[in-house]
């Protein structure tokens, strides 16, 4: 049975893992985070739940629509709406349905990971092709964090093929550490970062935003999105707001300390949510950072095979010119197809 090691347990990596497992490959997924999902992230604060990364996903591609239909039948996702209005009331309906994961976006990731061997809290630090496949060096801990050190000894895993679905800058760093060639097109990839605020509203008596519960913010230099977590079905008491800062605003301040960011972001967000009619008492506020939130310059191919002696494929939401969740899934499936043939 051929084997594959997949770097990254986000949607792209999990899509690839499921497809290759169905093709009778032995599959191992390695991720530096705690658990699966990547930006399919749901955080719990006491009894409150917040989707801190992806808020929803759209369906345009036929193959992706078929996958979503399976998830819907399994009770994992549900149709939410056909678009989100602006704060000024302009409809965002465009004929393409928006879906949410029932119980939080991370539930979808956990569903896709069922039956897959996932080794979390491990960072891949080296790849060596030996003519018979790959030797993959893995160290315990999230070594992408500044100043992070491995929490234990390195181990070496073997695989016939490798698929890397980490954000492209991290993939490039791994290739360079491994003395592997880097396609010049990869160096052109760019991402916007995003600051995300989790705002607890423990005394709210219902969803604090009108249906469908998400609002696009236009003409504000800092804030781009508000979302009621109760409207998404994540709470039965109180409510919580997710606030996303704009990519440019986040990029200008990304290296600032959390306290500095909060001192500027919270007043800007409060002004927007009050314009939206939210006046409920605010409880805890937390900040989440996403360094690689949205690809703004991507690679045209759905995945890229690195020219080496063994199969090594790069994939993710920065491939195929379809960012966000649909693009991530399609890229992961394309990587599986490239290897399985």
């Amino acid at each position: 049975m051929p084997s594959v090691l997949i770097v990254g347990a986000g949607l792209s990596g999990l899509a690839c893992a499921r497809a290759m497992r169905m093709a009778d490959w032995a599959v191992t997924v390695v991720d530096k985070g705690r658990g699966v999902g990547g930006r399919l992230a749901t955080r719990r604060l006491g009894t409150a739940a917040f989707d801190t990364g992806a808020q929803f996903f759209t369906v345009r591609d036929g193959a992706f629509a078929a996958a979503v239909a399976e998830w819907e039948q399994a009770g994992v996702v549900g149709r939410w709406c056909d678009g989100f209005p602006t704060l000024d009331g302009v409809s965002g309906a465009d004929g393409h349905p928006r879906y949410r994961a029932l119980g939080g976006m991370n539930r979808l990731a956990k569903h896709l990971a069922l039956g897959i061997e996932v080794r979390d809290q491990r960072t891949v630090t080296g790849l060596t092709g030996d003519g018979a496949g790959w030797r993959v060096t893995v160290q315990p801990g999230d070594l992408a964090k500044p100043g992070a050190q491995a929490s234990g000894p390195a181990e070496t895993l073997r695989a016939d093929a490798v698929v890397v679905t980490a954000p492209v800058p991290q993939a490039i760093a791994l290739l360079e550490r491994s003395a592997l060639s880097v396609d010049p097109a990869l160096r052109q990839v760019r991402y916007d970062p995003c600051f995300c605020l989790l705002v607890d509203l423990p005394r709210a008596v219902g969803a604090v935003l009108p249906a469908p519960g998400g609002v696009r913010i236009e003409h504000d230099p800092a804030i781009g999105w508000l979302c009621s977590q109760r409207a998404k079905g994540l709470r039965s008491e109180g409510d919580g707001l997710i606030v996303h800062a704009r990519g440019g605003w986040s990029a200008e301040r990304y290296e600032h300390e959390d306290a500095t960011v909060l001192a500027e972001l919270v007043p800007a967000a409060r002004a927007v949510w009050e314009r939206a009619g939210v006046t409920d008492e605010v409880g805890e506020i937390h900040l989440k950072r996403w360094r690689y939130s949205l690809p703004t310059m991507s690679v045209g191919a759905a995945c890229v095979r690195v020219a080496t002696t063994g199969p090594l494929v790069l994939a993710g939401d920065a491939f195929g010119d379809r960012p966000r969740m649909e693009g991530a899934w399609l890229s992961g499936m394309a990587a599986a197809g490239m290897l399985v043939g």
Side-chain angles (χ1 to χ4, degrees):
M1 177 183 292
S3 60
V4 62
L5 186 141
I6 299 172
V7 183
L11 181 57
S12 192
L14 294 175
C16 182
R18 285 177 68 88
M20 298 198 71
R21 186 170 179 270
M22 291 180 65
D24 293 325
W25 283 56
V27 178
T28 300
V29 179
V30 177
D31 194 279
K32 60 185 177 57
R34 294 178 179 272
V36 298
R39 279 165 282 171
L40 295 179
T42 304
R43 179 175 175 181
R44 301 192 181 276
L45 300 174
T47 60
F50 296 81
D51 279 340
T52 63
Q55 300 292 297
F56 61 91
F57 58 91
T58 56
V59 177
R60 292 175 170 81
D61 179 87
F64 186 55
V68 172
E70 293 179 3
W71 305 341
E72 193 170 16
Q73 186 174 13
V76 177
V77 306
R79 186 165 177 160
W80 188 2
C81 62
D82 290 326
F84 300 97
T86 67
L87 188 57
D88 299 324
V90 178
S91 171
D94 58 8
H96 297 293
R98 273 69 169 171
Y99 287 81
R100 65 185 185 274
L102 305 178
M105 295 298 278
N106 189 249
R107 185 182 175 207
L108 173 57
K110 291 179 178 178
H111 172 74
L112 295 176
L114 289 174
I116 304 294
E117 180 185 358
V118 178
R119 301 190 180 191
D120 62 0
Q121 300 182 68
R122 291 172 171 86
T123 301
V124 174
T125 57
L127 302 170
T128 304
D130 58 11
W134 292 94
R135 287 184 288 114
V136 183
T137 304
V138 178
Q139 293 187 297
D142 181 354
L143 302 187
K145 295 180 179 179
Q149 296 183 346
S151 57
E155 60 178 322
T156 299
L157 306 178
R158 297 192 65 88
D160 297 312
V162 173
V163 178
V164 179
T165 67
V168 170
Q170 294 178 354
I172 289 175
L174 175 59
L175 294 178
E176 291 179 335
R177 285 196 303 270
S178 305
L180 297 171
S181 61
V182 176
D183 187 325
L186 297 176
R187 299 190 188 277
Q188 306 304 313
V189 171
R190 297 290 183 272
Y191 296 79
D192 269 349
C194 179
F195 289 119
C196 172
L197 285 182
L198 292 65
V199 183
D200 189 27
L201 306 170
R203 299 186 183 277
V205 297
V208 297
L209 295 174
V215 178
R216 295 178 293 119
I217 312 302
E218 296 182 337
H219 314 303
D220 188 275
I223 309 301
W225 168 258
L226 294 180
C227 185
S228 160
Q229 301 303 279
R230 186 159 180 168
K232 294 186 71 176
L234 293 184
R235 298 184 65 159
S236 58
E237 296 182 356
D239 200 355
L241 278 179
I242 284 291
V243 183
H244 282 175
R246 293 192 182 281
W249 193 94
S250 300
E252 291 174 359
R253 298 159 177 81
Y254 199 82
E255 302 306 325
H256 295 179
E257 298 290 336
D258 283 3
T260 302
V261 173
L262 284 166
E264 190 173 358
L265 184 56
V266 170
R270 187 185 299 274
V272 171
W273 77 57
E274 288 181 350
R275 283 175 53 205
V278 179
T279 58
D280 299 83
E281 178 184 339
V282 174
E284 295 183 56
I285 296 179
H286 294 264
L287 179 69
K288 171 66 179 177
R289 295 170 175 260
W290 295 105
R291 182 178 290 276
Y292 303 111
S293 175
L294 178 67
T296 56
M297 294 182 64
S298 57
V299 177
C303 60
V304 171
R305 178 165 176 163
V306 176
T308 62
T309 56
L312 171 59
V313 180
L314 307 187
D317 65 349
F319 294 82
D321 291 330
R322 293 191 181 187
R324 301 186 172 89
M325 287 180 58
E326 186 171 50
W329 186 89
L330 292 170
S331 179
M333 294 297 290
M338 180 176 286
L339 293 176
V340 172

